[in-house]
Amino acid sequence: MPTISVENYLKAIYHLEQQGEEGGLVKNKAIAEKLEISLPSVTSMLKSLADNGLVVYERYKGVKLSPDGCSQALNVIRKHRLIELFLVETLQYTWDEVHSEAELLEHAVSDKLAAKIDAYLGFPDSDPHGDPIPSVDGQVRVSSAIPLNQCSPYCTAIIKRVLNQSPELLRYLKELGLVPGSAVDVVSVQAFDGQMNLSVNSTQGETSAIITAQTASCILVLPQ
Amino acid sequence: MPTISVENYLKAIYHLEQQGEEGGLVKNKAIAEKLEISLPSVTSMLKSLADNGLVVYERYKGVKLSPDGCSQALNVIRKHRLIELFLVETLQYTWDEVHSEAELLEHAVSDKLAAKIDAYLGFPDSDPHGDPIPSVDGQVRVSSAIPLNQCSPYCTAIIKRVLNQSPELLRYLKELGLVPGSAVDVVSVQAFDGQMNLSVNSTQGETSAIITAQTASCILVLPQ
DNA sequence: TTAAAAAGTTAGCCAAAACTAACAAGGCAA
DNA sequence: TTGCCTTGTTAGTTTTGGCTAACTTTTTAA
């Protein structure tokens, strides 16, 4: 069984692979920053992961997950997301609280418990942030959702996912009704800084919101 | 925050203090056996725990928990038992499966999560085995229940607790209806080996069971 | 093209928590 | 009381996974 530390590295590498360009290696620096660990520590861990066949490591270039490493990463991410949804569904956690709890629990939940949670929740597609829940065999549903800041005025779209785990941001978005499932109309976009004026149709009714391009880039939507 | 290893030592010392005589020190050997760890490892950890004020350690004699160590032990045990009950209540775990899951999860559950589980379960007194759940401030309800093997023929009693986490034994007892809440009548006791012939009144109805004195000693009952 | 900055590596260190081997203390039986 | 067996301790090693300091490679910008 991999250690907690190994699981965290695999998860970090997986996430960084997702956000980097197709086929590119993940840089050591990026891992160091994500895990808040020194660069030499990363180098030494990558060697060890490579020795164990979990990553393919090219000196001075970076790493990518091996098939084995990828499936282990997905198993942890699966648990993380199942836990998040479970905490919201059963214990009335809010979507800004669950990430940090899941970050600890993901390493202590057995495959059996994950399967029970999955069944209890009715085999859900995604967690409270809209992040897809990998299946037991490592399949991840892909989505064609795009960042909201790429939408033009008069565009109408449904929010599918929020790519940020900051509790402050999540509380702010919830306040504005900007949560998965809500519909947004792009009323206008500031030419010079991309600030967006939105009309939001959420469970809280019809409201309006003004957010920065930066914030909008974390919100993935499916234009209608 | 204490490490998982430290939490396990504190928990083991607590349990051994409970089963030893009042005021006696817990022997290093007992800890080593309980945690399946070598004696020198125990010695060195006890020194470290003593340095951190978690135990009072007397060389060559043994240890006892300090007030601080005791409250930390109880906090872990509280989480363990809440998790056990939660798994049974929400995810249809059986009482023989929960101990090993809780053994891992107890170190990853935050105080906040424990409090939410506690509230969700309606502030329960005890876990599925009848073990008392310590309160947040470290209070443990005491019970006057006695081992079933100390009961005489014609005695009628209610099962309060089972002092054993072996899945095999637990499945066997469940089969016989010997679970907390069931009523037992002692029909007869073998003079030479203490084997007990019981009449059991459980949710499965009226049945009979023959168990060894050893097994009976794990079953705590309140005579009526 | 080249020098400086950034990123990556190596070497060496530390702490936690395990281990074995060897020695010391304590307790029981003859 | 003595001697042996059990228990406990010390000393020294290992593994994991961090760290800093110093050096090397790669990238970037002048």
Side-chain angles (χ1 to χ4, degrees):
Chain A
M1 205 177 47
T3 63
I4 291 175
S5 186
V6 165
E7 288 188 344
N8 282 332
Y9 272 92
L10 295 177
K11 199 166 51 120
I13 296 167
Y14 179 89
H15 288 313
L16 291 166
E17 277 184 356
Q18 291 307 106
Q19 66 182 69
E21 71 275 15
E22 189 63 40
L25 294 180
V26 173
K27 310 306 290 304
N28 296 20
K29 186 79 185 310
I31 300 170
E33 277 167 2
K34 180 148 234 189
L35 297 178
E36 297 182 274
I37 272 172
S38 73
L39 263 173
S41 299
V42 172
T43 301
S44 96
M45 178 59 98
L46 293 185
K47 279 194 228 170
S48 147
L49 294 177
D51 287 347
N52 289 295
L54 296 170
V55 300
V56 178
Y57 171 45
E58 288 187 59
R59 275 177 95 229
Y60 293 108
K61 298 287 180 54
V63 277
K64 63 180 180 191
L65 293 173
S66 70
D68 186 15
C70 188
S71 95
Q72 293 201 28
L74 285 169
N75 191 236
V76 178
I77 291 167
R78 167 178 157 78
K79 288 173 184 175
H80 182 104
R81 293 178 179 167
L82 283 170
I83 292 162
E84 287 190 340
L85 187 58
F86 185 65
L87 293 179
V88 167
E89 294 290 314
T90 64
L91 296 171
Q92 277 67 58
Y93 265 80
T94 53
W95 77 333
D96 58 295
E97 300 174 304
V98 291
H99 180 73
S100 57
E101 291 281 4
E103 206 68 8
L104 290 175
L105 289 165
E106 64 189 7
H107 309 293
V109 162
S110 67
D111 290 349
K112 173 178 160 186
L113 177 50
K116 291 222 185 204
I117 292 174
D118 196 20
Y120 174 89
L121 295 170
F123 309 102
D125 277 356
S126 54
D127 77 7
H129 314 101
D131 300 325
I133 297 174
S135 66
V136 190
D137 55 324
Q139 298 297 311
V140 185
R141 276 163 286 271
V142 291
S143 156
S144 50
I146 58 168
L148 177 57
N149 63 321
Q150 287 176 19
C151 293
S152 311
Y154 312 117
C155 168
T156 292
I158 304 292
I159 298 179
K160 288 295 173 187
R161 185 173 176 186
V162 174
L163 293 177
N164 196 302
Q165 294 295 352
S166 149
E168 295 74 30
L169 178 66
L170 292 174
R171 280 194 294 270
Y172 169 70
L173 293 180
K174 177 80 157 216
E175 193 81 16
L176 298 176
L178 296 170
V179 299
S182 294
V184 289
D185 291 316
V186 180
V187 175
S188 66
V189 180
Q190 284 284 0
F192 55 98
D193 64 0
Q195 191 181 59
M196 303 185 94
N197 190 337
L198 306 171
S199 171
V200 184
N201 219 312
S202 71
T203 53
Q204 297 149 51
E206 185 95 20
T207 55
S208 71
I210 300 175
I211 61 174
T212 63
Q214 235 240 293
T215 300
S217 72
C218 297
I219 302 172
L220 297 193
V221 301
L222 220 46
Q224 296 302 288
Chain B
M1 206 176 48
T3 63
I4 292 175
S5 187
V6 165
E7 288 188 343
N8 282 332
Y9 273 91
L10 295 177
K11 201 165 48 117
I13 296 168
Y14 179 88
H15 287 314
L16 291 166
E17 277 183 358
Q18 291 308 106
Q19 64 183 69
E21 70 275 18
E22 190 63 38
L25 295 179
V26 172
K27 309 306 292 302
N28 296 19
K29 186 80 186 308
I31 300 169
E33 275 167 3
K34 180 149 232 185
L35 297 177
E36 297 181 275
I37 273 172
S38 72
L39 263 173
S41 300
V42 172
T43 300
S44 97
M45 178 57 99
L46 293 185
K47 279 193 227 169
S48 148
L49 294 178
D51 288 348
N52 290 295
L54 296 170
V55 300
V56 178
Y57 171 44
E58 287 186 59
R59 274 176 96 229
Y60 293 108
K61 298 285 181 55
V63 277
K64 62 179 181 193
L65 294 173
S66 71
D68 186 15
C70 188
S71 97
Q72 292 200 31
L74 284 169
N75 192 236
V76 178
I77 291 167
R78 168 179 157 78
K79 287 172 184 175
H80 182 104
R81 294 180 180 166
L82 283 170
I83 292 161
E84 287 191 340
L85 187 58
F86 186 66
L87 293 178
V88 166
E89 293 291 312
T90 63
L91 296 170
Q92 279 68 58
Y93 266 80
T94 52
W95 78 333
D96 58 297
E97 298 174 304
V98 291
H99 180 73
S100 58
E101 292 281 3
E103 205 68 9
L104 290 176
L105 289 166
E106 63 189 7
H107 309 293
V109 162
S110 68
D111 290 350
K112 173 177 160 185
L113 177 50
K116 292 222 185 206
I117 292 174
D118 196 19
Y120 173 89
L121 295 171
F123 309 102
D125 278 355
S126 55
D127 78 5
H129 314 101
D131 300 324
I133 297 174
S135 67
V136 190
D137 54 325
Q139 299 295 312
V140 186
R141 275 163 287 270
V142 290
S143 157
S144 50
I146 59 168
L148 177 57
N149 63 321
Q150 287 175 18
C151 294
S152 311
Y154 311 116
C155 167
T156 292
I158 304 291
I159 298 179
K160 288 295 171 186
R161 186 173 176 186
V162 174
L163 295 176
N164 195 302
Q165 295 294 350
S166 150
E168 294 74 30
L169 177 65
L170 291 174
R171 279 194 294 271
Y172 169 69
L173 292 180
K174 177 80 155 214
E175 192 82 14
L176 298 176
L178 295 171
V179 299
S182 293
V184 289
D185 293 314
V186 180
V187 175
S188 65
V189 181
Q190 283 283 0
F192 54 99
D193 64 0
Q195 190 181 61
M196 303 185 93
N197 190 338
L198 307 171
S199 171
V200 184
N201 219 313
S202 71
T203 53
Q204 296 150 51
E206 184 95 20
T207 54
S208 69
I210 300 174
I211 62 175
T212 63
Q214 236 240 293
T215 300
S217 72
C218 297
I219 301 172
L220 298 193
V221 300
L222 220 47
Q224 295 302 286

